[in-house]
Amino acid sequence: MTHLWVRAEQRPNEDRVGLTPEGAKALLAAGIKVTVEASSVRAIPLQGYADAGCEIAAENSWPQAPADAIIFGLKELPEDGTPLPHRHIMFGHAFKGQHSGKALLERFKAGGGTLYDLEYLVDETGRRVAAFGYWAGYAGAAVTLKAWAAQQRGELCGPVGVYGGKDALLADLGAELDALNKDRPTAIVIGALGRVGTGAADLCEAMGVAVTKWDMAETASGGPFPEILAHDLFLNCIFARPGTPVFVPREALAADRKLTAIGDVACDPDSDYNPVPVYDRATTWEAPALRVAENPVLDVMAIDNLPSMLPVESSEDYAAQLLPSLLTLTDLESGVWGRAKSTFLEHLPE
C-alpha cells in the first residue's frame, strides 16, 4: 500500500502544510495510507487529520518511518549531513547550482533515496502543477513596502511575523503607510503575468501603490533596464534560470536612482543565474531587509518562506492545487512523479 508520511516542518517561522484534513480524507478513500506527524507550529490543527482517519506520529519522527514511506514536507530538512534513504517530496532547492543543494543531493546519493522536488512537479507542457507563488508575491510586496516605510522613518525594517489572514495584514500595513503622511511609492513588478507577480501587484494595488507591470516581452532585450531605477520599489517575481537577464547589476548601487527597496520574492541569491546580484544572502523574519547601499539607501527583502506569513490561506490554496497529483502517488514512474524523478536523476552527482 502506498504510504504518505506528512512530516512536521523544522524550519523556523514555517507554519504551512501541503495537505489539509480534507485532502487527507480523499487520499485515504483512494487507498493511500496517510501518517501525519504532530507539530508544535502547524497552522492547521492536528485533530482534523485524526478525525479524517490519519495515523498520528511523533513530531520529527520521520527518520524512523518505514522504508517504503514517502516523506512529504515543504521546506528543507535539517542540514546534518545524514544519508537520506527515503523518497522525499519537498522543495529541495537543489537543481540550479545552489551550494546547499549540492550537499543535499550527496545525502540522497549516500542513502539511496529519491527527491521529488515540488518546484519540478510539472504537467506535460512543463507548467508547475502547484505553487505558493501568489501568496509569496502578496507577502513579499507587503514586507518590501514595510522596508520602504521604515526608510521614511530613518530606520531599517524591523521583524515581521505571522498574520491571522490577509485582512489583518492589509489593516496593519495600511495603518503603517498612512502614519507616514506621504504619497505612496511607485513600484515595478517583473513577472507580472505569473502567480507571484499577480500576488505582488494585487497587494500593491490594495495599498494604493501605482504599479508598472512587466513580463517577458518587456525584458526580452536583455537589459540594462533604467526604468527599474526610476521606481521606488522593484519586485522581482521571476525565478532564476539560464538566460534570465540581470535586472539590477552591482553598478546600480552607485547609480543615480529613485529605487530604494528591492523585494526579491524569487530569492535565489546563491544561484548562478541570480538576476539581482546586489546581495549575497537571504534575509529573515527577524531581519527582513539587508542594506546594500547608502546615499541613497537601497534595502533588499529576500525572505525565502514568505507564504508562511499567511499560513492558513497559503496552505489551503497550495494543498488544493497539489491534491490531484498526490492522488496519483500509486504510480511514481509516470506522469508528474516520473518527470520529477527524471529531473532528480539528471542532477544526481556522478
Side-chain angles (χ1 to χ4, degrees):
M1 174 183 287
T2 300
H3 183 185
L4 184 68
W5 183 292
V6 181
R7 60 177 170 85
E9 296 295 328
Q10 294 174 262
R11 278 278 306 272
N13 303 314
E14 187 50 80
D15 301 353
R16 294 173 295 168
V17 64
L19 181 70
T20 63
E22 294 75 18
K25 190 173 182 179
L27 294 178
L28 291 163
I32 296 173
K33 181 179 179 179
V34 181
T35 298
V36 178
E37 289 186 359
S39 170
S40 56
V41 298
R42 188 183 294 127
I44 297 178
L46 185 65
Q47 188 60 48
Y49 298 96
D51 293 344
C54 301
E55 294 188 5
I56 306 301
E59 188 167 8
N60 304 328
S61 60
W62 60 266
Q64 289 77 51
D68 64 348
I70 303 166
I71 313 300
F72 177 29
L74 295 177
K75 298 302 287 184
E76 301 93 332
L77 302 171
E79 296 181 1
D80 57 13
T82 56
L84 296 170
H86 289 96
R87 294 167 294 181
H88 282 259
I89 301 170
M90 65 177 178
F91 287 103
H93 305 294
F95 300 153
K96 292 187 288 188
Q98 300 99 323
H99 302 301
S100 58
K102 295 174 183 177
L104 177 65
L105 291 175
E106 290 288 357
R107 294 172 65 189
F108 275 107
K109 182 180 179 181
T114 303
L115 169 62
Y116 297 91
D117 196 304
L118 288 164
E119 187 177 343
Y120 293 84
L121 294 186
V122 297
D123 62 18
E124 297 86 349
T125 69
R127 180 176 173 81
R128 287 175 63 178
V129 299
F132 281 104
Y134 181 85
W135 295 106
Y138 202 91
V143 181
T144 307
L145 270 170
K146 280 181 166 290
W148 178 85
Q151 292 171 354
Q152 310 315 301
R153 301 189 299 267
E155 303 170 359
L156 191 63
C157 186
V160 295
V162 173
Y163 289 90
K166 76 171 187 176
D167 290 343
L169 169 59
L170 292 174
D172 174 63
L173 181 57
E176 184 173 358
L177 294 174
D178 289 343
L180 297 173
N181 290 317
K182 292 187 176 185
D183 291 339
R184 296 294 202 251
T186 60
I188 182 169
V189 174
I190 297 186
L193 297 180
R195 294 172 172 132
V196 182
T198 299
D202 283 356
L203 182 283
C204 287
E205 291 170 345
M207 287 292 102
V209 173
V211 186
T212 300
K213 300 178 183 180
W214 278 18
D215 209 86
M216 293 179 66
E218 290 81 3
T219 60
S221 66
F225 305 107
E227 296 91 340
I228 297 174
L229 304 185
H231 291 77
D232 297 296
L233 313 178
F234 163 48
L235 298 164
N236 174 44
C237 300
I238 293 179
F239 287 97
R241 58 178 58 86
T244 299
V246 172
F247 298 137
V248 182
R250 286 203 62 81
E251 48 265 32
L253 298 179
D256 182 22
R257 55 181 162 80
K258 187 180 181 185
L259 181 72
T260 63
I262 295 173
D264 190 10
V265 182
C267 189
D268 233 345
D270 63 349
S271 169
D272 295 336
Y273 316 116
N274 178 17
V276 194
V278 297
Y279 77 109
D280 60 1
R281 60 189 181 276
T283 60
T284 66
W285 290 40
E286 293 74 24
L290 176 67
R291 184 147 294 175
V292 296
E294 302 277 357
N295 195 31
V297 298
L298 181 60
D299 294 337
V300 178
M301 185 292 307
I303 297 172
D304 65 359
N305 63 334
L306 286 161
S308 204
M309 290 182 66
L310 296 165
V312 174
E313 286 149 316
S314 59
S315 293
E316 290 175 347
D317 180 21
Y318 186 81
Q321 297 174 55
L322 187 63
L323 182 59
S325 296
L326 292 178
L327 286 166
T328 68
L329 278 172
T330 50
D331 179 10
L332 288 171
E333 300 305 318
S334 62
V336 190
W337 306 106
R339 286 186 285 272
K341 183 177 181 180
S342 295
T343 301
F344 165 72
L345 293 175
E346 289 169 13
H347 291 85
L348 197 66
E350 294 294 334

